[in-house]
Amino acid sequence: MQRFAYGCAANVGEALVEGGAPDTVFLAGGTELLNWLRLGIAKPARIIDISRLDGLIGVTRLPDGGLRIGALTRLNDVALDEHVSRDYPVLSEAILKSASAQLRNLATIGGNPLQKTRCGYFRAEDTLPRTAYLA
Amino acid sequence: MEFRSQASVALRVNGRPREVVVDTRTTLLDLLREHLDLTGAKKGCNFGECGACTVHLNGRRVNGCMVLAASVEGGEVTTIEGLAENGELHPVQQAFIDHDAFQCGFCTPGQVMSAVALLREGHARCPAEIREWKSGNLCRCASYPQIVSAVAAAASNARGG
């Protein structure tokens, strides 16, 4: 894993300002990023930990009857939320079929759409560095 | 915001305050195994897929290999070494022995930590639910039937049945 500089964002504003710098990525649940780092397909110079930012976690009912789901809400918390499981059961069931309980306790709903396809052949134009196998 | 490639991480592990200086690439798993000599959590795949590194972080079961140690600042970690209290095995540990739920034992710490959390979550209402919610813990020796029995028994005992 290439060395990186790690920082923890105190608030959304700070995260956005610092996130605009080159070679900088965000860390939320980390369930994708850590594997990309180990594979060598991500080599950021800086990692901004946004996992503790306020105001981005939780499921709340909206006046029109919909739901607002904070991007940093962990997958298990989204799936097991009473509003989600009662009113949007497909979302709940789809989440609960994903990964594992341990990963769903880390992974965030906002990070989930940012997954890279897992198949190594699909990513073949980014060849895996040989050292990934020797690690 | 300060960016560092080395970080001092203060956390509680098995009830004790610990402080370690680590390269920020260090995972929670490596912090436990390499820096705190808590080798109970195992490095099975180092990719988040086998569950042998399952520990409790702030009350939830997670794969230690999928967490950067630096992001655990101020957190509370429980490992397999922290389960038995006053020399007495945790009921789940006892159930694993009673139901012959391990062969080589390599996956076992992760299985037990995962099971303890699963019981707390209330996801042991039937064998099918146990299997589904323990799907993040692989066992190459295929002790799965005995593991399910052990977890079911521990759940039943906890219910007073």
Side-chain angles (χ1 to χ4, degrees):
Chain A
M1 204 189 282
Q2 188 169 271
R3 174 165 290 177
F4 53 78
Y6 166 96
C8 204
N11 53 63
V12 173
E14 186 175 64
L16 289 174
V17 166
E18 297 286 356
D23 285 331
T24 303
V25 300
F26 294 120
L27 169 68
T31 54
E32 280 289 282
L33 181 63
L34 262 70
N35 285 342
W36 300 346
L37 294 171
R38 279 186 278 252
L39 284 170
I41 58 178
K43 294 180 181 180
R46 307 193 314 167
I47 294 182
I48 301 174
D49 189 340
I50 59 170
S51 62
R52 299 177 210 227
L53 288 179
D54 282 328
L56 294 175
I57 298 174
V59 180
T60 45
R61 188 157 270 297
L62 294 171
D64 69 354
L67 293 181
R68 181 184 181 278
I69 303 177
L72 288 180
T73 315
R74 310 286 179 171
L75 289 184
N76 264 344
D77 293 336
V78 177
L80 299 173
D81 176 88
E82 54 161 338
H83 300 295
V84 175
S85 52
R86 186 187 57 233
D87 301 333
Y88 301 90
V90 163
L91 177 58
S92 182
E93 289 175 27
I95 290 172
L96 292 179
K97 291 239 180 274
S98 311
S100 68
Q102 292 93 313
L103 287 172
R104 293 195 302 268
N105 281 340
L106 288 171
T108 62
I109 190 82
N112 184 261
L114 302 175
Q115 275 189 312
K116 282 191 201 260
T117 304
R118 294 208 167 306
C119 174
Y121 294 109
F122 184 88
R123 282 201 306 270
E125 50 191 356
D126 304 327
T127 47
L128 285 175
R130 222 203 271 150
T131 49
Y133 294 107
L134 300 176
Chain B
M1 196 160 89
E2 229 193 291
F3 286 90
R4 304 147 292 168
S5 57
Q6 296 255 113
S8 171
V9 184
L11 69 164
R12 293 182 70 82
V13 181
N14 298 330
R16 288 178 54 200
R18 309 296 301 260
E19 186 154 352
V20 198
V21 177
V22 294
D23 183 304
T24 50
R25 289 171 287 182
T26 307
T27 62
L28 172 59
L29 179 64
D30 282 332
L31 179 140
L32 294 169
R33 291 182 56 81
E34 310 294 331
H35 295 264
L36 298 179
D37 283 334
L38 292 168
T39 54
K42 307 301 183 197
K43 182 175 283 186
C45 71
N46 206 32
F47 214 69
E49 291 175 3
C50 77
C53 65
T54 304
V55 293
H56 297 176
L57 172 61
N58 299 329
R60 311 172 69 136
R61 49 175 162 152
V62 298
N63 297 317
C65 69
M66 298 305 289
V67 179
L68 285 183
S71 74
V72 184
E73 173 67 29
E76 188 102 33
V77 176
T78 307
T79 71
I80 189 74
E81 292 91 345
L83 267 200
E85 274 184 45
N86 302 318
E88 251 190 60
L89 289 179
H90 188 283
V92 171
Q93 287 172 310
Q94 189 60 53
F96 268 60
I97 292 170
D98 295 342
H99 292 265
D100 190 28
F102 52 92
Q103 295 179 61
C104 80
F106 194 78
C107 74
T108 309
Q111 295 280 3
V112 171
M113 295 308 290
S114 189
V116 170
L118 177 145
L119 291 176
R120 211 184 289 144
E121 293 158 17
H123 287 130
R125 288 166 288 193
C126 65
E129 185 177 42
I130 293 170
R131 273 189 211 99
E132 182 62 33
W133 281 87
K134 291 273 278 123
S135 65
N137 291 92
L138 304 182
C139 172
R140 285 296 271 117
C141 298
S143 291
Y144 297 115
Q146 295 90 287
I147 291 169
V148 174
S149 297
V151 178
S156 172
N157 290 338
R159 279 193 292 268

